[in-house]
């Protein structure tokens, strides 16, 4: 292997290559020429958000974040890193499973007849740049929920089919991250088209890139890059390994599915729901929560009507409304439903946990409720019951 800049099919087939800033921007331009809508992180309104990118120069170079329960702040970085930040308020769910989708429209014609038109989902060719390992797993979970069962969501499929995923291994975990506990990071091993590992050291600022699909290899072959050298590989591996040792949170080392199942009447539920506002923030920012409801709207004349599907939350009192009232009438029952489903009964439905350890629910909870703290408390209470005389 040489360290000279190169492009071409041979380099695209290699296990790894190194991109600089110009190479990363070339990646965006190649994807745009292929008809892709490139979405990635950028700075806006005091946060790192996901938005359409015209170039890689819009990435949040030199910005990191400070995270804690109920707290999110941007902070400048001296190293100029582009991906040294943890999960922001959005996830890729916002693009694959949007907050609002129109399902049909209806109009009353002058003769009184009603014309109904189904809203057919428009196909979008996405390229997601900067997908964290936890979010990569979240997309795989959404795939199972939205397209893997008996009832498939055509709106989701129209956005997900053929999406090009560029994962970025995590080298800078936040104080609320716990992907190691959930087995979802900080490294990536499958499910991506390209994977990047950012390296900033005395040898410079660069990105180790490897392909995970045929299309990924073809795109890599078009980029100005050089063969991956030993020091860059070593530095990248070390950065990911050290990130695993710096997780800000952890889950108790027990079977969480069993923990949830066997502690439905624990006293801890009363403690946590005394602090819960039932606002649903945790479900809105969660990258795997998928529940929806429908709403019908009309114009002032009553001649035009639309039906929309929108996100819903199990914290909403009407979410479990049946004849005679809601099934889960108390904050205690609603919080318990969310946590026990996310960590426990999700396995029964979808053969995996519904939590990927991103920590968004902790950060964006206005009262700072921490699901890892609650899991530890439930485990501690259960242990104390077992040893009590």
């Amino acid at each position: 292997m040489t360290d000279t800049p190169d492009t071409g099919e041979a380099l695209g087939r290699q296990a790894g290559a190194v991109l600089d800033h110009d190479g990363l921007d070339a990646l965006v331009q190649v994807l745009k020429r292929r008809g892709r809508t490139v979405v990635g992180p950028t700075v806006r309104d005091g946060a790192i958000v996901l938005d359409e990118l015209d170039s890689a120069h819009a990435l949040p170079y030199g910005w990191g974040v400070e995270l804690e329960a109920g707290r999110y702040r941007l902070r400048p970085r001296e190293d100029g890193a582009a991906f040294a930040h943890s999960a922001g308020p959005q996830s890729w769910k916002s693009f694959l499973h949007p907050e609002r989708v129109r399902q049909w429209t209806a109009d009353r014609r002058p003769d009184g007849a009603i014309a109904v038109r189904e809203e057919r989902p428009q196909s979008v060719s996405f390229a997601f740049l900067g997908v964290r390992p936890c979010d990569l797993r979240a997309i795989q979970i959404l795939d199972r929920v939205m397209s893997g069962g008996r009832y498939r969501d055509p709106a989701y499929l129209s956005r997900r089919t053929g999406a090009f995923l560029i994962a970025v291994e995590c080298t800078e975990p936040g104080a609320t991250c716990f992907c190691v506990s959930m087995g979802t990071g900080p490294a990536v091993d499958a499910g991506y088209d390209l994977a990047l590992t950012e390296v900033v050291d005395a040898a410079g600022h660069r990105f180790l890139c490897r392909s995970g699909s045929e299309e990924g290899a073809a795109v890599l072959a078009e980029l100005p890059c050089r063969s991956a050298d030993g020091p860059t590989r070593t530095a990248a591996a070390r950065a990911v390994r050290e990130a695993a040792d710096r997780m800000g949170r952890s889950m108790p080392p027990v079977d969480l599915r069993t923990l949830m199942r066997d502690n439905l009447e624990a006293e801890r539920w009363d403690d946590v729901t005394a602090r819960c506002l039932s606002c649903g923030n945790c479900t809105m920012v969660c990258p795997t929560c998928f529940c929806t409801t429908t709403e019908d709207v009309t114009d002032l004349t009553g001649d035009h009507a639309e039906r929309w599907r929108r996100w819903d939350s199990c914290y909403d009192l009407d979410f479990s409304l049946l004849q005679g009232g809601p099934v889960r009438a108390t904050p205690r029952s609603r919080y318990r439903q969310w946590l026990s489903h996310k960590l426990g009964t999700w396995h029964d439905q979808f053969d995996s946990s519904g939590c990927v350890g991103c920590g968004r629910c902790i950060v964006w909870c206005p009262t700072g409720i921490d699901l890892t703290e609650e899991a530890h408390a439930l485990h501690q209470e259960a242990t104390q019951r077992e040893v009590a005389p």
Side-chain angles (χ1 to χ4, degrees):
M1 286 185 168
T2 66
D3 290 339
T4 56
D6 195 9
T7 58
E9 183 178 357
L11 193 57
R13 290 197 300 266
Q14 291 177 2
V18 176
L19 306 177
D20 59 13
H21 287 205
D22 291 338
L24 197 60
D25 189 56
L27 171 60
V28 174
Q29 304 311 319
V30 167
L31 292 169
K32 290 177 64 178
R33 287 198 299 270
R34 286 172 169 252
R36 301 277 187 178
T37 298
V38 182
V39 179
T42 190
V43 174
R44 189 181 71 231
D45 300 330
I48 295 177
V49 300
L50 301 176
D51 204 351
E52 184 173 348
L53 302 179
D54 289 328
S55 78
H57 301 300
L59 292 169
Y61 285 105
W63 287 102
V65 295
E66 293 179 357
L67 305 178
E68 249 315 327
R71 177 181 172 82
Y72 177 98
R73 294 290 187 275
L74 283 181
R75 65 175 179 86
R77 297 180 59 92
E78 295 182 356
D79 59 9
F83 299 108
H85 54 85
S86 302
Q90 295 168 290
S91 69
W92 307 97
K93 177 180 76 172
S94 300
F95 297 89
L96 296 174
H97 180 45
E99 181 181 357
R100 298 181 76 241
V101 176
R102 188 165 61 186
Q103 296 184 299
W104 51 257
T105 60
D107 290 283
R108 192 197 328 264
R109 296 197 296 250
D111 60 2
I114 303 296
V116 178
R117 291 180 300 279
E118 180 183 1
E119 192 83 8
R120 299 188 179 277
Q122 295 182 346
S123 179
V124 183
S125 182
F126 280 122
F128 293 157
L129 170 59
V131 183
R132 297 291 175 180
C134 56
D135 280 345
L136 188 64
R137 181 65 63 86
I139 291 173
Q140 295 165 359
I141 290 173
L142 281 181
D143 288 348
R144 175 70 180 87
V145 173
M146 309 296 285
S147 62
R150 179 179 178 184
Y151 301 101
R152 299 187 175 188
D153 181 357
Y156 179 86
L157 286 170
S158 69
R159 294 171 173 82
R160 177 67 178 94
T161 302
F164 190 91
L165 304 182
I166 307 165
V168 174
E169 293 189 304
C170 182
T171 59
E172 191 76 19
T176 56
C177 295
F178 56 101
C179 64
V180 170
S181 290
M182 307 311 296
T184 60
V188 296
D189 56 8
Y192 58 84
D193 294 288
L194 289 176
L196 303 175
T197 311
E198 187 170 23
V199 177
V200 184
D201 57 19
H205 189 175
R206 57 210 187 276
F207 305 88
L208 178 66
C209 181
R210 63 185 190 275
S211 61
S213 69
E214 290 187 6
E215 186 177 8
V219 169
L220 182 56
E222 296 185 44
L223 303 180
C225 53
R226 59 185 174 86
S227 303
D229 56 276
T232 297
R233 290 181 183 275
T234 299
R238 182 175 60 250
V240 175
R241 185 172 60 252
E242 291 176 351
D245 296 331
R246 298 199 312 274
M247 289 290 115
R249 296 290 201 275
S250 67
M251 282 289 189
V254 297
D255 184 340
L256 296 175
R257 182 182 183 185
T258 301
L259 180 67
M260 294 296 113
R261 183 196 64 200
D262 294 347
N263 291 278
L264 296 178
E265 302 305 323
E267 294 180 2
R268 182 66 184 189
W269 298 116
D270 294 322
D271 180 277
V272 63
T273 53
R275 294 172 276 132
C276 178
L277 303 178
S278 292
C279 65
N281 267 20
C282 52
T283 62
M284 297 297 104
V285 298
C286 177
T288 65
C289 279
F290 58 88
C291 291
T292 59
T293 188
T294 57
E295 60 181 8
D296 296 332
V297 296
T298 63
D299 65 4
L300 293 177
T301 68
D303 292 331
H304 177 80
E306 298 179 352
R307 170 163 289 180
W308 288 79
R309 186 185 72 184
R310 62 171 176 80
W311 288 353
D312 202 0
S313 172
C314 54
Y315 285 92
D316 190 336
L317 188 60
D318 289 341
F319 183 82
S320 63
L321 182 65
L322 299 176
Q323 184 178 9
V327 174
R328 304 184 189 95
T330 65
R332 182 185 194 274
S333 63
R334 295 196 291 276
Y335 184 87
R336 186 181 65 178
Q337 156 63 21
W338 176 73
L339 188 63
S340 61
H341 182 219
K342 188 66 61 176
L343 300 180
T345 53
W346 200 292
H347 288 274
D348 300 319
Q349 286 184 282
F350 308 115
D351 301 318
S352 75
S353 172
C355 177
V356 297
C358 68
R360 287 184 177 92
C361 61
I362 305 172
V363 174
W364 299 99
C365 174
T367 61
I369 293 174
D370 180 345
L371 83 167
T372 65
E373 179 185 341
E374 301 312 315
H376 278 283
L378 287 169
H379 174 51
Q380 183 179 14
E381 183 178 335
T383 301
Q384 290 173 346
R385 284 199 307 267
E386 292 174 359
V387 300

